[in-house]
Amino acid sequence: MKIFIYIIILLPFFALSQTEVKPANAPRKEKHHNKTDEIGRKQGLWKFYSEAGVIVWEVEYQNDAKHGVSKRYYSNGRIMREMEYQYGLREGTFERYYLNGQLRQEGEYESNHRSGKWTTWFSSGNIQSEGVYIKSYKEGEWKYYNQKGQVINTIIFIKGRDQKEILAAEKKEAEKKAALEKGKKKKVVRLSPVKK
């Protein structure tokens, strides 16, 4: 009977405890443990490794949602991209890198949407493009460069669409409408009254 009482008393302590597990394929020297809370939600920094024991991803969790910095790695261990999360949504800085470690793209997220100035570089380090996003749509003037750093194209965007394409589509629609109106006028036949 005493054993039964001890089990009933101690069971909640075992059932409602955090668990810590060493990440799968982690190298032996790795001391880090991935943690879950008493109801199985991921908490804190989690690390993931390839079968070769190379780190491929690190992400911070709070109550099972990405919250904090997330880093992805190439198979050589160099960083591929780094971004910030707030309660599961992309929020904050974003950086993507080439395999050689050179910065490839940089910008920010706001409420899971690309926002503000974004810049992309060639692997040589020269700028490739730059412009502004508003709610993940390219907006305003975007500049595109060649490898020598010379501007090769400038495009004005309105809610993610090229302004020239918008104007061309509007012109085409106006021409189509005018052709339809012209066709209607030709089809109208005036009948004169018949005299007896």
Side-chain angles (χ1 to χ4, degrees), residues 134 136-140 157-162 165-166:
I134 296 177
S136 291
Y137 290 109
K138 289 182 177 180
E139 192 68 42
F157 287 93
I158 300 171
K159 288 192 176 180
R161 291 183 60 203
D162 183 342
E165 289 178 10
I166 293 170

Side-chain angles (χ1 to χ4, degrees), residues 73-192:
Y73 296 91
Y74 287 106
S75 58
N76 66 0
R78 288 195 177 191
I79 192 156
M80 179 190 302
R81 71 174 182 243
E82 182 175 338
M83 62 179 24
E84 294 180 48
Y85 285 88
Q86 294 289 320
Y87 304 105
L89 299 176
R90 291 175 286 189
E91 183 80 36
T93 59
F94 170 87
E95 294 174 342
R96 182 183 306 252
Y97 297 86
Y98 285 101
L99 186 59
N100 66 6
Q102 169 64 41
L103 187 60
R104 180 178 189 168
Q105 190 174 45
E106 180 179 54
E108 287 196 20
Y109 279 91
E110 187 175 298
S111 298
N112 224 28
H113 295 284
R114 289 181 181 201
S115 183
K117 184 177 180 185
W118 279 66
T119 307
T120 304
W121 290 269
F122 291 105
S123 59
S124 62
N126 293 335
I127 195 166
Q128 184 176 11
S129 68
E130 61 183 344
V132 172
Y133 278 99
I134 296 177
K135 292 193 175 185
S136 291
Y137 290 109
K138 289 182 177 180
E139 192 68 42
E141 183 178 88
W142 275 71
K143 291 184 179 180
Y144 298 87
Y145 302 84
N146 63 15
Q147 287 275 12
K148 296 177 184 176
Q150 301 162 329
V151 176
I152 56 171
N153 199 2
T154 300
I155 300 174
I156 307 294
F157 287 93
I158 300 171
K159 288 192 176 180
R161 291 183 60 203
D162 183 342
Q163 182 183 23
K164 290 179 184 175
E165 289 178 10
I166 293 170
L167 294 173
E170 288 173 354
K171 183 179 177 184
K172 189 175 181 178
E173 189 63 34
E175 289 171 353
K176 193 176 182 181
K177 192 175 184 179
L180 282 172
E181 288 297 320
K182 191 175 181 182
K184 285 180 182 179
K185 286 180 183 177
K186 284 184 180 180
K187 289 182 181 179
V188 175
V189 178
R190 294 188 180 191
L191 300 174
S192 57

Side-chain angles (χ1 to χ4, degrees), residues 36-87:
T36 54
D37 64 14
E38 57 277 352
I39 57 175
R41 298 177 301 186
K42 295 176 184 170
Q43 301 290 349
L45 179 66
W46 276 57
K47 294 183 179 184
F48 301 88
Y49 293 85
S50 69
E51 289 183 12
V54 178
I55 186 117
V56 292
W57 189 26
E58 290 180 310
V59 61
E60 293 181 45
Y61 285 96
Q62 183 174 331
N63 299 333
D64 226 19
K66 294 176 186 175
H67 187 77
V69 177
S70 171
K71 296 178 183 180
R72 289 273 188 174
Y73 296 91
Y74 287 106
S75 58
N76 66 0
R78 288 195 177 191
I79 192 156
M80 179 190 302
R81 71 174 182 243
E82 182 175 338
M83 62 179 24
E84 294 180 48
Y85 285 88
Q86 294 289 320
Y87 304 105

